[in-house]
Amino acid sequence: MPLWQIISAAQPNLNADVRNDRLSTFIVVTAADGYQAVIAWGEIDPEFGNQPILVAYAENGAPIAGGSGPIRLVVPGDARGGRYVSGVVNISLRDAPVVGQ
């Protein structure tokens, strides 16, 4: 399932009065072992990067099992795969800090 679809379904509270407020938002994906990866909102937003970053629960038609499962973040195009997060337990949205405050 596309990460964008999951984030959109959550209906995050963005500030429409701030120009491109969503571009200061980032997503933190956390694994059961504490491993984390960050995805910028602009990477997955169809109006900006539109990257096909996925949250997977199956591979080749079978549930993901073992240390890689049951949910995995898949970031196609990452050269080293460092943002592939296995055993996802949390996906959270965060705002970048405001400069000068």
Side-chain angles (χ1 to χ4, degrees):
M1 172 177 286
L3 178 58
W4 173 251
Q5 188 175 347
I6 293 169
I7 297 300
S8 296
Q11 299 180 351
N13 186 19
L14 300 171
N15 187 347
D17 295 332
V18 176
R19 184 174 155 250
N20 288 325
D21 179 49
R22 58 195 167 177
L23 294 181
S24 65
T25 302
F26 59 96
I27 301 134
V28 179
V29 181
T30 305
D33 66 0
Y35 187 80
Q36 293 184 313
V38 173
I39 306 293
W41 180 287
E43 287 184 82
I44 62 170
D45 190 315
E47 294 182 21
F48 295 95
N50 200 27
Q51 296 298 310
I53 297 172
L54 304 172
V55 176
Y57 54 87
E59 184 173 28
N60 298 322
I64 297 171
S68 296
I71 301 170
R72 180 188 307 153
L73 181 72
V74 179
V75 186
D78 269 12
R80 297 184 57 181
R83 294 190 297 172
Y84 279 57
V85 177
S86 296
V88 172
V89 294
N90 190 10
I91 299 172
S92 62
L93 291 177
R94 301 187 189 169
D95 292 322
V98 178
V99 176
Q101 289 188 8

